[in-house]
Amino acid sequence: SGTFSVDVHTLKGPEPFYNEPVVDTFSVANDWIELSTSQTASVTDIFSSDGRQYLFDNLATPFNFNYFGIEYNSIKVSVNGILSFDPTIAFDWNHYAIPRNSSFSAFESFMAVYWRDLGLPADTITYPGSDDGTIYYQAFGQSPNRTYVIQWNHMHNDPNSIDAYMDFIFEAILHEADGKIEFLYKQMFSPDVTLTNCGDATIGLEDSSEDPLVSTEYCYNTAKTIEGNRITYTPIHPID
């Protein structure tokens, strides 16, 4: 009788692109990049402080950024704490778990830095230590080691509710050389302490496939302390 050999191949599904996020505390003096007081001309104020809730803007990035294996040269900034690489998306103020359920409108290729219903404070609103709110961005360094910083500065919510007295300051830092992503949370003040953490927000990364094995959610409506913390995502494999 003859001898038969059988090759067994294991079918592999989608794999994570990023390592599990590393969470640590950071030094405001050494790690936080302050844009609101920078004297550099390249600091750009995206929005004026008029209290509008639904603002977003498309920006050309200073370098191609590799996100889930795809290189992008523009990014969309939302007032609601989101960065998206899909220029067609207009995010609403409702936040959801990551990945988004496909039965909802398609949300693809985005970073939820601190996704919730946010707005820019109107001039008539006062809260501790705050001036007018806005969103800034600036590039630093030289190729191939540049960084790109987007900072949400003094964000609030509905001026007719207790949320109007929130004072949130946070930023995202994108690294050209290795594709690293950092979220830093400098100040997350609210009279409602559940809003000072992730108790009413979403933080994480979602890819274009919305696959739960690929996208990575750090928190969704979960009481995780974030003020004073840095969340760092690094690609599993080196970026070419």
Side-chain angles (χ1 to χ4, degrees):
S1 60
T3 300
F4 296 90
S5 62
V6 178
D7 291 332
V8 178
H9 298 278
T10 302
L11 296 178
K12 298 180 66 176
E15 296 181 342
F17 186 82
Y18 293 94
N19 291 297
E20 288 296 312
V22 174
V23 181
D24 64 350
T25 58
F26 67 90
S27 164
V28 172
N30 298 322
D31 304 314
W32 175 262
I33 301 175
E34 183 56 63
L35 301 187
S36 66
T37 58
S38 174
Q39 302 303 309
T40 305
S42 57
V43 173
T44 303
D45 179 344
I46 300 177
F47 307 124
S48 62
S49 58
D50 59 2
R52 290 177 292 172
Q53 296 276 346
Y54 314 112
L55 298 172
F56 51 84
D57 199 7
N58 286 316
L59 307 174
T61 56
F63 50 83
N64 289 343
F65 187 74
N66 191 309
Y67 187 63
F68 284 104
I70 301 175
E71 288 199 345
Y72 297 91
N73 59 15
S74 66
I75 197 167
K76 190 168 191 173
V77 181
S78 166
V79 74
N80 292 315
I82 291 178
L83 299 174
S84 172
F85 293 101
D86 184 346
T88 66
I89 291 177
F91 288 95
D92 62 28
W93 59 93
N94 292 316
H95 64 282
Y96 301 92
I98 291 176
R100 276 294 301 265
N101 187 314
S102 59
S103 64
F104 294 96
S105 57
F107 281 26
E108 299 178 352
S109 300
F110 69 88
M111 306 178 191
V113 186
Y114 188 72
W115 181 17
R116 76 179 307 271
D117 185 7
L118 294 174
L120 303 170
D123 292 336
T124 56
I125 295 174
T126 58
Y127 42 85
S130 172
D131 296 316
D132 293 339
T134 192
I135 303 174
Y136 301 97
Y137 66 91
Q138 184 179 1
F140 295 89
Q142 302 295 322
S143 177
N145 297 301
R146 290 168 289 186
T147 57
Y148 193 42
V149 183
I150 300 95
Q151 182 181 119
W152 288 259
N153 199 54
H154 296 304
M155 309 304 292
H156 84 119
N157 200 332
D158 183 354
N160 297 314
S161 73
I162 192 173
D163 289 355
Y165 300 94
M166 295 190 305
D167 192 4
F168 291 172
I169 305 173
F170 55 94
E171 67 185 16
I173 305 175
L174 311 184
H175 294 259
E176 177 183 22
D178 57 6
K180 182 171 68 175
I181 300 168
E182 295 178 293
F183 299 160
L184 284 75
Y185 304 88
K186 180 181 179 182
Q187 179 172 293
M188 308 299 286
F189 170 82
S190 173
D192 182 349
V193 294
T194 63
L195 303 181
T196 64
N197 50 40
C198 199
D200 188 27
T202 303
I203 296 174
L205 309 179
E206 181 158 321
D207 80 318
S208 59
S209 71
E210 300 179 332
D211 192 303
L213 297 177
V214 180
S215 298
T216 173
E217 178 185 274
Y218 174 68
C219 60
Y220 168 64
N221 291 351
T222 306
K224 288 187 175 182
T225 300
I226 58 174
E227 182 176 79
N229 282 357
R230 168 176 51 196
I231 302 172
T232 303
Y233 295 91
T234 56
I236 293 174
H237 303 292
I239 298 298
D240 293 332

